[in-house]
Amino acid sequence: MLIIFLKAVLLIPVTLLPILNPFGIAPVFANLLGDVPRQVENRVARQVAINCWFLLVGAIFIGSHVLSFFGISLPIVRIGGGILVAVSGWRLLSDNEQESSIKTQVAKTYDDESNEELKARSFYPISFPLTVGPGTIAASITLGANTPARLVDWVMSIGSAALGSALTVLVVYLCYRSANKIVSLLGRLGTMVVLRLSAFILLCIGIQIFWSGFTGLLVETGLMPP
C-alpha cells in the first residue's frame, strides 16, 4: 500500500512538471516582476506556489465534477486548452514586444504592506495562465478523473494528490525564487534562447494537447477505434 501511495504521489510531478516547465518560465517570471528587491521576489514566488497548489488540487478533485455539471467532456477541455497553450507559445515566438507589454502591465510598485494587492497580481497572469495553464488543468483533471469507491483508497488519493501537488509547486517555488539568478547566469543571449525554446516547447505541448483531445472526440463518436 505504501508503494502504491508513493507511486501516486510521484505520478503528479512527473506528469505536470514537463507541462509547467518552471525552469523555462522562470526568465519570463523575472521579466514580469521587473527590478524588484529579493524579498519581494521571494514573497511573490511563495504566493504563486500557494495559488498553483490550490489550482492543481481543485482541478484534480472537483475538475471532472465541474465539467460534468456543465456537460463538457474532457476531450473538449483538451482541445480548448491545447489551442490556448499553442497560441500563447506562438505569441512568445513571434511577438518581440509581448514581454515588455506584459512587464509594463504587471511590474508595478509592490508595497510590503499591501498583501491583497500582491496576492491579486501574483494570481493573474503569473499563476494563471502563465504557470498553471489550460494544459496543466486538463492534465490535472485527467489525473483525478477516476475517484476510488473504497474509503481507504479515497483517503489515499486525497493524501497523494495533496502531497504530489505540494512537490510540484515546491519545484515551481524554487525556480521562481531564483529567477533573477537564473537570468544573471544565462545572460541576455542565454535568456533570449531559453525564452524562445520554452515558447517552442509550449507551442508543441499545445498541439499535442489539442491532438489528444481531437483523437478523444473521434473515439467518443466511434470514428476511431479506442
Side-chain angles (χ1 to χ4, degrees):
M1 186 175 291
L2 179 60
I3 295 176
I4 295 176
F5 177 79
L6 293 177
K7 286 183 178 179
V9 169
L10 294 178
L11 178 63
I12 294 177
V14 169
T15 303
L16 298 183
L17 282 176
I19 304 175
L20 289 168
N21 189 22
F23 183 80
I25 301 298
V28 182
F29 173 78
N31 202 32
L32 287 173
L33 290 185
D35 188 13
V36 297
R38 173 73 174 170
Q39 181 182 3
V40 174
E41 184 183 38
N42 288 337
R43 290 180 61 207
V44 176
R46 183 172 64 250
Q47 187 61 47
V48 167
I50 294 173
N51 295 340
C52 292
W53 185 85
F54 280 106
L55 287 172
L56 294 180
V57 172
I60 290 173
F61 286 119
I62 66 174
S64 59
H65 301 290
V66 172
L67 295 183
S68 177
F69 178 78
F70 288 102
I72 303 173
S73 64
L74 190 58
I76 294 297
V77 175
R78 288 174 178 165
I79 290 176
I83 292 174
L84 288 177
V85 172
V87 168
S88 300
W90 176 256
R91 285 179 177 174
L92 282 174
L93 273 174
S94 59
D95 190 1
N96 294 325
E97 297 180 356
Q98 182 183 8
E99 298 167 17
S100 59
S101 64
I102 297 176
K103 182 175 177 180
T104 56
Q105 176 185 354
V106 178
K108 309 293 184 180
T109 302
Y110 286 86
D111 186 2
D112 289 341
E113 298 179 357
S114 179
N115 291 324
E116 295 300 324
E117 184 70 15
L118 185 143
K119 290 179 181 179
R121 291 178 183 170
S122 67
F123 182 80
Y124 181 84
I126 301 177
S127 299
F128 179 85
L130 179 63
T131 306
V132 177
T136 307
I137 292 177
S140 301
I141 293 174
T142 304
L143 289 173
N146 298 320
T147 304
R150 293 194 309 169
L151 179 61
V152 176
D153 295 337
W154 185 73
V155 172
M156 284 185 59
S157 67
I158 291 179
S160 61
L163 184 56
S165 299
L167 292 177
T168 304
V169 300
L170 176 62
V171 176
V172 173
Y173 168 70
L174 293 177
C175 291
Y176 282 9
R177 75 186 296 268
S178 305
N180 283 315
K181 288 185 178 180
I182 294 174
V183 171
S184 300
L185 290 174
L186 293 175
R188 183 176 181 181
L189 177 60
T191 302
M192 183 185 68
V193 170
V194 170
L195 287 174
R196 294 299 182 242
L197 286 176
S198 300
F200 179 71
I201 293 174
L202 196 65
L203 175 64
C204 295
I205 289 174
I207 296 174
Q208 179 63 49
I209 295 172
F210 172 84
W211 181 250
S212 299
F214 181 71
T215 54
L217 279 181
L218 293 180
V219 170
E220 284 187 356
T221 56
L223 298 177
M224 177 182 291

